[in-house]
Amino acid sequence: MTRIAFILLCHKDPGAVIRQARGLAASGDAVVVHMDARASRTDWLRLRGGLSGHPGIALVERRQRCGWGEWSLVAATLSALRLALARFGDATHFYLLSGDCMAIKSAVHAHEKLAADPADRIESVDFFDGGWIKTGMHEERLTRWHFLNERDRKGLFYASLAAQRRLGIARALPADIRPMIGSQWWCLRRATVEAVLAFLDARPDVRRLFRWSWIPDETMFQTLVRHLVPREEIRSCSPTFLTFTDYGMPASFHDDHYDLLLGQDALFARKISPGAARLRARLGDLWASDRRDFPAGGDGRRLHGFLTGRGRVGLRFAPRAWEVGSSLGAGRVLLVVISHKRHVAKRLVGAIKHHTGMLGIDYLFDEEDTALPAMGGLERGLGKRSRHRRAMLRLLYELHGVDRMIICIDPARIDLIRDVMGDRAEVRLLEIDTPLDDAYLREHAIRSDLAGRSEAGLDLLMPPLRQQMQAETRELREARFANHYTLAQEAGAEENDRALRRFLGVEPELARSIGETPHLFDD
């Protein structure tokens, strides 16, 4: 009969750890918890009180002060494993988890899968030739002495490394050991754990090698399991699904990732966002269920990266961090000038800025060279601006310290117009209606690199280009947006003044002055 002893490494949020440990133990499995000694005494006492007396849960009393990339993480794991071996004699498998992990399958399914395939599940690829390390140090993780934590003492860490390089100090690897590397999260059989611990006791040279290496939690177990266990009894993949952001950090999963997670060929996932209360509740219920039918979702890393990389808000996947709360803000006013003839829109916005002093920005979502302030890189590239458009606009309000702003948008960007019209801010639209004659269409095609300057090519392009622009204008009008006004070249001065007055919220005299801007509609 399969019984899992979960090795749970945590450093915060004792309430969540208590729920996690009790939920795992409720299936008849065992849990050994190690809480980082850096945690406050209050958190430690709360954890002890919440888990005391449970026969399937044990706490490591002699705790390690854990630091990322340090031996302390391995030492904590070893202490928990020794306690688990002693306390839970019927445990058949030992599964390493963090406080951010949760099951994405039922306990019944996990037990049956482990029983059906008697093997160790640990990612283990060749340290030198496997291509696992993408950036940063490679062989120097093992061949140099690492006495300091890179994150706590970055300057001293790299000074020590430079000194060892300069002096030619390098450690020799044990001749009979082939280093391996892989994910820190694994599930090992009892005999394998016992063999690893016995080997470490018998080989102080190997223990010393990893004791002073950098990020040993990615190398020690991976190396020793491959050294001690026949290759056919190792499944070189982590049983825990995780993926990474564009910045190389573990991605967090949110409430709308439930279906994605269930489709992965893994038993657990990391990291579940602390704020994903609904996802946590559903996954907790899933572990306790009898469900055995799980979908095959394919490559979750590629799917997650593709969809979140598009900066989508809502829908199936959760928003990126900079999109959270990305309303322009109640009480703010966004004035949007919409025109195919961009020079006309820019001329009008220039007149509005001159007469009112209002902040005005031209086609920031349509033209790469639009003048923008430094915004932490968000301003670089039309793709990034468009993906995070509300965040972009909100930051412009904040950087300039204003509550009113006017921008220009091409009618083709109906998606963007719909987006801002759904915001809590007050949004008004001013459509500039001008004839689209052949001369303008030709110049537009040339400026936009849609065609060369050959007359034949331009003649072929004219009909579909005119149809496209007419369709965009028709879609804009059929949307029937509120606060949609029109400034028409062929309309009378009184009608245009009225549209400007309502759009800008200004006095009639000021609207008339703006409407009388010289050569406003000229090409």
Side-chain angles (χ1 to χ4, degrees):
M1 178 179 177
T2 301
R3 190 187 190 200
I4 306 170
F6 291 102
I7 308 302
L8 180 55
L9 305 182
C10 62
H11 65 278
K12 62 180 180 180
D13 199 353
V17 175
I18 291 169
R19 292 190 295 273
Q20 182 184 20
R22 286 185 170 274
L24 293 172
S27 62
D29 293 305
V31 183
V32 175
V33 181
H34 178 282
M35 173 167 265
D36 190 342
R38 296 174 187 261
S40 69
R41 179 169 174 79
T42 300
D43 283 353
W44 169 240
L45 292 177
R46 183 182 175 191
L47 183 70
R48 289 182 66 181
L51 297 178
S52 64
H54 196 297
I57 301 176
L59 272 71
V60 176
E61 295 289 342
R62 297 188 61 181
R63 299 176 292 147
Q64 299 285 329
R65 291 178 60 84
C66 296
W68 187 89
E70 290 183 359
W71 170 258
S72 53
L73 289 172
V74 176
T77 304
L78 292 173
S79 296
L81 284 172
R82 293 186 189 277
L83 178 58
L85 286 170
R87 184 70 65 87
F88 305 111
D90 59 345
T92 58
H93 294 75
F94 296 78
Y95 198 128
L96 184 62
L97 294 174
S98 77
D100 296 319
C101 296
M102 288 199 73
I104 56 174
K105 300 291 188 293
S106 65
V108 171
H109 175 88
H111 292 160
E112 291 177 350
K113 183 167 184 175
L114 294 177
D117 183 19
D120 296 305
R121 289 161 172 80
I122 179 169
E123 186 178 28
S124 178
V125 300
D126 191 274
F127 183 88
F128 296 102
D129 302 326
W132 199 85
I133 299 174
K134 304 300 183 185
T135 60
M137 283 187 290
H138 193 176
E139 65 273 4
E140 287 184 319
R141 288 191 183 195
L142 297 176
T143 60
R144 306 295 182 188
W145 296 87
H146 298 283
F147 302 106
L148 302 165
N149 187 290
E150 190 265 354
R151 293 195 173 183
D152 293 341
R153 299 181 179 181
K154 186 181 291 289
L156 290 175
F157 179 91
Y158 287 106
S160 170
L161 187 61
Q164 292 180 66
R165 291 168 179 165
R166 189 168 57 254
L167 297 172
I169 298 174
R171 298 195 293 163
L173 304 180
D176 61 329
I177 296 293
R178 181 66 178 176
M180 309 296 287
I181 192 168
S183 170
Q184 141 183 32
W185 312 107
W186 40 252
C187 179
L188 303 178
R189 296 169 295 171
R190 187 181 191 93
T192 301
V193 171
E194 292 172 340
V196 167
L197 296 179
F199 186 84
L200 287 172
D201 291 340
R203 292 287 300 271
D205 61 322
V206 174
R207 186 182 181 95
R208 186 164 53 249
L209 168 69
F210 293 108
R211 171 68 179 84
W212 302 111
S213 66
W214 180 234
I215 321 182
D217 52 304
E218 294 179 350
T219 54
M220 194 194 79
F221 286 98
Q222 294 76 3
T223 298
L224 298 188
V225 170
R226 183 72 72 172
H227 181 72
L228 297 168
V229 177
R231 180 181 296 271
E232 61 270 17
E233 296 181 23
I234 299 174
R235 305 292 172 260
S236 185
C237 60
S238 173
T240 297
F241 171 67
L242 71 160
T243 188
F244 295 88
T245 68
D246 297 341
Y247 306 101
M249 300 299 290
S252 292
F253 298 109
H254 302 274
D255 287 340
D256 46 4
H257 286 119
Y258 181 79
D259 292 335
L260 169 70
L261 294 177
L262 262 61
Q264 303 315 307
D265 185 19
L267 302 179
F268 283 74
R270 181 180 189 269
K271 305 167 63 170
I272 307 301
S273 170
R278 184 164 174 264
L279 177 60
R280 286 179 170 271
R282 295 180 75 185
L283 293 178
D285 292 341
L286 177 66
W287 176 254
S289 73
D290 292 327
R291 181 171 175 178
R292 290 178 169 84
D293 58 316
F294 289 95
D299 189 343
R301 290 183 177 89
R302 182 176 299 176
L303 179 60
H304 182 273
F306 172 75
L307 290 171
T308 56
R310 297 175 71 84
R312 297 173 63 195
V313 178
L315 300 180
R316 179 174 178 182
F317 288 86
R320 285 186 162 196
W322 50 76
E323 293 289 351
V324 175
S326 61
S327 167
L328 307 185
R332 285 177 172 156
V333 177
L334 179 66
L335 304 177
V336 182
V337 177
I338 307 168
S339 177
H340 281 119
K341 290 190 174 182
R342 297 185 183 181
H343 59 283
V344 178
K346 292 177 182 179
R347 197 175 292 143
L348 175 64
V349 169
I352 293 171
K353 290 162 63 177
H354 172 74
H355 286 282
T356 68
M358 189 187 310
L359 172 64
I361 300 176
D362 295 335
Y363 288 85
L364 74 163
F365 298 110
D366 302 286
E367 296 181 358
E368 189 84 41
D369 58 355
T370 300
L372 293 168
M375 304 171 71
L378 193 60
E379 76 282 5
R380 298 173 191 162
L382 291 176
K384 187 176 291 188
R385 296 180 203 170
S386 297
R387 282 198 300 271
H388 315 301
R389 46 206 177 206
R390 292 202 201 189
M392 183 85 187
L393 294 170
R394 186 182 72 249
L395 283 174
L396 286 170
Y397 282 112
E398 294 171 355
L399 286 171
H400 290 279
V402 298
D403 290 325
R404 289 169 61 87
M405 178 168 61
I406 186 167
I407 65 172
C408 303
I409 292 180
D410 193 282
R413 301 305 307 274
I414 188 70
D415 61 322
L416 195 151
I417 298 169
R418 291 183 190 278
D419 187 21
V420 297
M421 289 301 294
D423 196 86
R424 291 183 296 167
E426 180 183 352
V427 182
R428 302 179 208 151
L429 308 179
L430 181 68
E431 176 193 350
I432 300 180
D433 182 11
T434 55
L436 299 176
D437 54 36
D438 285 350
Y440 167 75
L441 292 175
R442 286 172 181 269
E443 286 302 317
H444 174 79
I446 294 170
R447 281 196 310 270
S448 303
D449 293 326
L450 295 176
R453 292 181 178 271
S454 70
E455 290 300 318
L458 290 171
D459 288 343
L460 287 173
L461 191 61
M462 289 303 100
L465 185 57
R466 177 177 283 104
Q467 291 173 6
Q468 175 190 329
M469 290 188 172
Q470 289 173 344
E472 290 166 356
T473 299
R474 186 166 56 251
E475 183 178 7
L476 174 66
R477 293 174 182 174
E478 290 176 352
R480 298 186 180 278
F481 293 120
N483 300 322
H484 178 177
Y485 308 101
T486 301
L487 187 72
Q489 182 173 351
E490 298 178 348
E494 183 177 348
E495 186 176 347
N496 281 340
D497 290 348
R498 184 164 55 250
L500 283 169
R501 185 173 72 250
R502 293 176 178 175
F503 173 66
L504 296 171
V506 296
E507 296 298 324
E509 295 78 9
L510 184 54
R512 187 176 308 112
S513 297
I514 295 171
E516 292 174 350
T517 298
H519 311 292
L520 178 60
F521 294 104
D522 288 358
D523 287 338

